Amino acid sequence: MAPVECELAKVVMSENQDRQVIILEEKEGERQLPIIIGLFEVFAIHRFLNNEPPPRPLTHELVGNIFEAIDADIEKVIVNDLKDMTFYASLFIEQDGASYEVDSRPSDGIALAVQASAPILVEESVLEEAAQEP
């Protein structure tokens, strides 16, 4: 079954907790997938969504700058597995006609996809296991 295209529906930031939440929502449906992420990743996603670059590149900006410098594009990120309450993802990168699949934490892959305006997809099996109805 093909992965389901989703969009970043919500970013829930909490200054007094280490665990932050992003919510992915099906583009052609109603299921929502909450993913707990770290503080650095939620701030990166928030910066990209609000077009607020830091004074100096932080890790996610650095990686995006490297991709740009070597003329590589982020094609998509796919949240592709859930094991023991931990989500897994792959980041797909294209350079000079070649595609590369790179293991990624979902939060990092989603941050880079948001930065690059690349699609965010979730495997149907992951949605079936962890998605919630609104």
Side-chain angles (χ1 to χ4, degrees):
M1 200 170 245
V4 176
E5 188 166 1
C6 294
E7 59 189 0
L8 185 59
K10 190 183 290 187
V11 178
V12 181
M13 297 173 61
S14 174
E15 292 181 13
N16 56 359
Q17 292 187 12
D18 289 338
R19 296 166 45 155
Q20 313 299 310
V21 178
I22 56 172
I23 304 205
L24 302 180
E25 185 173 83
E26 288 180 286
K27 280 194 166 185
E28 302 291 325
E30 295 188 12
R31 292 179 292 182
Q32 295 181 336
L33 181 67
I35 299 177
I36 295 171
I37 66 172
L39 193 60
F40 294 113
E41 293 78 17
V42 79
F43 281 132
I45 291 168
H46 185 263
R47 283 192 312 274
F48 297 140
L49 290 174
N50 292 296
N51 197 24
E52 298 172 354
R56 299 287 301 143
L58 299 175
T59 304
H60 294 95
E61 289 85 5
L62 172 64
V63 172
N65 292 344
I66 291 169
F67 287 153
E68 187 177 317
I70 63 171
D71 200 27
D73 293 314
I74 296 172
E75 294 180 312
K76 61 189 169 194
V77 62
I78 301 178
V79 179
N80 55 17
D81 206 355
L82 175 60
K83 295 179 189 170
D84 300 321
M85 303 297 291
T86 300
F87 289 97
Y88 293 81
S90 289
L91 186 66
F92 291 81
I93 303 160
E94 186 276 329
Q95 182 189 38
D96 296 329
S99 289
Y100 303 93
E101 180 178 350
V102 180
D103 184 33
S104 172
R105 294 186 308 173
S107 56
D108 292 325
I110 291 167
L112 292 168
V114 168
Q115 180 183 20
S117 299
I120 300 168
L121 299 113
V122 179
E123 289 289 351
E124 179 63 39
S125 61
V126 174
L127 285 170
E128 287 175 2
E129 186 173 345
Q132 303 171 353
E133 297 290 332

